[in-house]
Amino acid sequence: MRVGIIGAGAMGRAMARRAARAGSIVRLADRSAGRARLVARETMAGTPGVVEASSIRAALRPGLVILALDRSDSLEFLRRHGRLLAGKVLVEVTAPRTDAYGTDPCEADPCGADAYGTDPCAAGPCAAGGYGSGTSGAGMGDLMAAVPGASWVRACAAGDAESIYRGLIDGHPVDIFVAADDESAKIRVIELANRSGLRALDAGRLDRARVLDELTSLGREISHRLAAPEGWAIKLLPSW
């Protein structure tokens, strides 16, 4: 499978690693070409896949594109490049920049800021607000309206970017919840996640996005209170 990823920050790094573990050919675009090259080398190491730093246009050629930017930056990006994305599967994995305490929950971002100079939030891949507006100023509905001809998928791993990068939490695969109105698009993302070493769970239609956001917000708050040093993830049991 060919996959495009926009943004080489913490979440883009995690997504590139998972896609490479699944054996995909990944095109990774970032405003900083140097950061994209660094992340590409790191995330490809020891995997059956290929991760290459590329231009934005090249990263938008695959039929499946992952947005790993802050939510507001994703909206800006789509307004600039949406004409190239009609008919593609767009996977939204962004997070709000601040948590319930009004502070940045991304305590350690090994890749620095994302493609637009802001932190894509290592502490959680799901932005608050579902179809409404999240703390980063744009909601899922805003993104969908920018590219109405795309097949939108919400991929929500209830954990931080580092746990997604590793793929395991306490020896178990990290769960990723996948919601979409297009069943074929949802299946593509579920299969990619499962091949990558994560455990993908069908979370229903896109109207479940707000529930997934709240789940991630809860996990982030608990992690903040516990000061969990090794990252965190919410696991659905039973495990298999």
Side-chain angles (χ1 to χ4, degrees), residues 122-196:
C126 302
Y131 280 88
S133 294
T135 58
S136 57
M140 183 72 182
D142 298 316
L143 302 187
M144 294 169 64
V147 192
S151 293
W152 282 93
V153 178
R154 191 59 177 280
C156 225
D160 66 354
E162 189 59 29
S163 68
I164 298 166
Y165 182 89
R166 295 194 306 266
L168 296 173
I169 189 78
D170 280 350
H172 296 283
V174 171
D175 287 345
I176 183 166
F177 304 93
V178 184
D181 294 337
D182 184 329
E183 288 296 315
S184 63
K186 183 196 297 183
I187 289 171
R188 287 182 66 181
V189 175
I190 287 175
E191 290 178 344
L192 175 64
N194 285 335
R195 288 199 305 271
S196 80

